[in-house]
Amino acid sequence: MNTALPPRFTITRPEIERVVAAFYANIRKHPGLGPVFAVHVEDWSAHEAKVADFWANTILHERSYDGSPMAAHLKAGNVKPGMFSTWLDLFDSVLRAELTEDQAAAWSALAHRIGRSLRAGVVDRETLPGGIPKLF
């Protein structure tokens, strides 16, 4: 009996890897996000492979990723409130450029859900109601 879950939407592992590579090529050139990532990423190929594993796990239900995005973003220490919307806007533009409209829409919806969760765990925990920064 096959108990594997079906993919969340139709996409292949090579398409996931292509999107991740295109996204990080854009990240490296981005004036705001590039320096944030550059502080932490020494081996871009390894980083992209790990992120591709994350998305393959999330979308295709592969079991190739064993990290914790929340822990990684908390540990980074330099993730700020406005970065998530900038990251998602850039990611959406790559999705639209690299995939079909249906694939891009499905992956974008998933990325935005994950982004909201990461933002809540990494950034919003450092703010008071109304987005007021905790100073103490």
Side-chain angles (χ1 to χ4, degrees):
M1 182 168 110
N2 185 356
T3 59
L5 295 171
R8 291 182 185 269
F9 54 90
T10 303
I11 196 165
T12 65
R13 175 71 186 230
E15 288 171 315
I16 291 170
E17 291 169 355
R18 186 180 77 226
V19 165
V20 169
F23 175 69
Y24 283 107
N26 286 322
I27 283 288
R28 287 191 290 275
K29 294 183 288 189
H30 192 277
L33 296 177
V36 173
F37 278 83
V39 169
H40 304 287
V41 179
E42 294 178 19
D43 182 344
W44 285 98
S45 294
H47 181 73
E48 290 174 20
K50 186 168 189 150
V51 172
D53 284 347
F54 167 79
W55 285 116
N57 183 68
T58 303
I59 299 167
L60 302 175
H61 305 288
E62 289 184 4
R63 295 293 168 237
S64 53
Y65 178 77
D66 65 354
S68 168
M70 185 69 71
H73 287 87
L74 281 169
K75 182 180 174 189
N78 63 344
V79 178
K80 304 298 178 206
M83 292 177 181
F84 285 95
S85 60
T86 303
W87 185 99
L88 287 166
D89 288 346
L90 186 59
F91 195 67
D92 283 342
S93 71
V94 171
L95 293 175
R96 288 189 304 272
E98 297 292 331
L99 301 173
T100 68
E101 187 176 334
D102 289 345
Q103 288 172 313
W107 195 344
S108 175
L110 183 58
H112 281 259
R113 277 198 312 274
I114 291 169
R116 282 190 299 274
S117 176
L118 283 173
R119 181 183 171 128
V122 175
V123 176
D124 292 347
R125 65 193 244 143
E126 299 299 324
T127 59
L128 299 169
I132 299 167
K134 288 183 185 176
L135 300 176
F136 303 100

